[in-house]
Every structure is written in structure tokens, then in C-alpha cells.
Amino acid sequence: MLLTYSQCRNQFGTDYRIQNLLKSEKLFKIHEGIYSTDKYSSTYEFISLKYPDAIFTMDSAFYAHGLTDEIPDIYHLATRREATRIKDERIKQYFMKDNIFELGKTEIEFQGENIKVYNQERMLIELIRNKSKIPLDNYKEIIGNYRNRVNELDFGKVSEYAEHFKMNQTIMNTIQLEVL
């Protein structure tokens, strides 16, 4: 389990006790101000704790939803447009307008931890919107997996979400042709 420094102080009391736990390897320092009770922890969990206002999107969300088996090289996070730029080479940041940032936000269990991610319906819209930026083989794999899950999807949500994006009719037409 990951803990912030303040959570460690609340749970263990003093800096002295925290240092003793670190020396005895009952607590591990993962990053500045972030500690773990386990020697190894999920990077998704670490990123969720470090950037609590961000939401996993694109390749990271497709992987977390099991829509692709390709492990992303970097982590894709959506943030509000006015958010501070994330200066971490492992993260690709997507700045979202306020009216679409929360759209489809959900929490799922992934690798034993709860993470914030866009739901499958929102990710279908993102897949279509970013079709030209996704390698063709990845796009085909993800679309194929959406076809296999067509009965699990809520197309009312898909239609509702599409209304918030430019070219919403094109998005819905593409979904009609490629998924249904």
C-alpha cells in the first residue's frame, strides 16, 4: 500500500519511527514524499497517488480496460486545461476542457488497486477522435475488442458523450460502421 508522508506521520507517529521502519525494510521510500508498505508497488497506483486529480486515458486506459494487451511505454493522463504541466518523461499529459474532463470518469480495480480512468464508452469516443494518431494495428485490435464487447456497452452514454465533442455526428457514424 502506498502512503504519502503525512499519511505515514499519522499512521506511524514520528519521523524517528518512519526512519526505523525504512532501515528495517518494513517501509520503503518510492519517491520524494511517497512510501510503500510493500517492496514493489504498481506504477499505476504510484501515479494515481502522485497526481490525484488526473485520470488515466488513451493507451493506459485501453490497457487497464483489457482492450489491448500492449503495455504502454508511457502513462497517459488527462488533466484539466488549467492544471500544472507534468514534468515526467514517463507521462503524456492531455489537457481537457472543463466541460469534458469529468465525462465518463470512473474508478476501476486494476493490478489490485483502484485507479481513476475513463469508462469504456468514453474511451470509444477517444479512440475514434484520435484514430489518425493511433498506429493502425493497435486501432484494429482495440476496435475488434470493442466489437466483442458490444453487448456490454451503454450506447446511450456513448451518444450522450459524443454530443460534447466537435464532429459528434462523424464520431457516431464511425462507431456505427466500425463497431456495430
Side-chain angles (χ1 to χ4, degrees):
M1 178 169 84
L2 292 183
L3 304 164
T4 63
Y5 172 74
S6 61
Q7 289 171 326
C8 283
R9 286 291 305 258
N10 289 340
Q11 187 168 341
F12 305 119
T14 65
D15 285 340
Y16 178 77
R17 289 195 66 203
I18 292 170
Q19 291 305 317
N20 282 340
L21 289 169
L22 289 168
K23 285 177 188 171
S24 66
E25 295 188 344
K26 293 181 180 169
L27 187 68
F28 303 90
K29 186 173 184 174
I30 302 299
H31 191 270
E32 191 65 38
I34 299 178
Y35 301 85
S36 177
T37 55
D38 302 313
K39 190 169 188 168
Y40 303 103
S41 61
S42 160
T43 307
Y44 276 83
E45 180 186 16
F46 165 74
I47 290 171
S48 292
L49 185 64
K50 187 167 182 183
Y51 306 107
D53 297 328
I55 302 170
F56 286 101
T57 189
M58 296 306 293
D59 294 0
S60 298
F62 293 133
Y63 181 67
H65 282 299
L67 291 162
T68 182
D69 57 4
E70 187 171 319
I71 300 170
D73 295 334
I74 58 174
Y75 297 90
H76 299 255
L77 294 177
T79 60
R80 292 187 186 280
R81 181 169 271 171
E82 69 276 356
T84 304
R85 184 169 297 280
I86 296 172
K87 295 176 180 117
D88 186 334
E89 65 276 353
R90 298 173 300 170
I91 294 174
K92 179 169 177 146
Q93 185 176 11
Y94 298 81
F95 293 96
M96 300 280 180
K97 294 178 183 175
D98 283 343
N99 67 324
I100 62 169
F101 178 70
E102 297 273 335
L103 205 62
K105 175 182 161 186
T106 190
E107 203 169 284
I108 64 168
E109 186 178 321
F110 180 69
Q111 297 178 344
E113 299 300 326
N114 288 337
I115 62 168
K116 287 182 272 184
V117 65
Y118 287 120
N119 63 23
Q120 293 183 80
E121 290 82 3
R122 167 69 185 267
M123 290 313 304
L124 178 56
I125 302 243
E126 294 299 334
L127 178 67
I128 303 303
R129 286 182 62 222
N130 294 285
K131 182 178 180 176
S132 64
K133 298 174 188 171
I134 299 172
L136 184 60
D137 55 333
N138 290 16
Y139 180 81
K140 285 182 177 181
E141 175 191 13
I142 296 166
I143 280 291
N145 285 322
Y146 268 114
R147 279 189 205 117
N148 294 336
R149 297 178 183 192
V150 75
N151 293 330
E152 298 173 24
L153 298 174
D154 181 343
F155 284 96
K157 284 183 183 178
V158 174
S159 181
E160 176 190 329
Y161 297 164
E163 293 296 321
H164 291 85
F165 296 94
K166 292 178 183 173
M167 307 207 16
N168 62 0
Q169 196 55 51
T170 304
I171 291 169
M172 291 307 294
N173 289 344
T174 304
I175 290 170
Q176 189 77 22
L177 290 171
E178 296 191 20
V179 178
L180 300 176

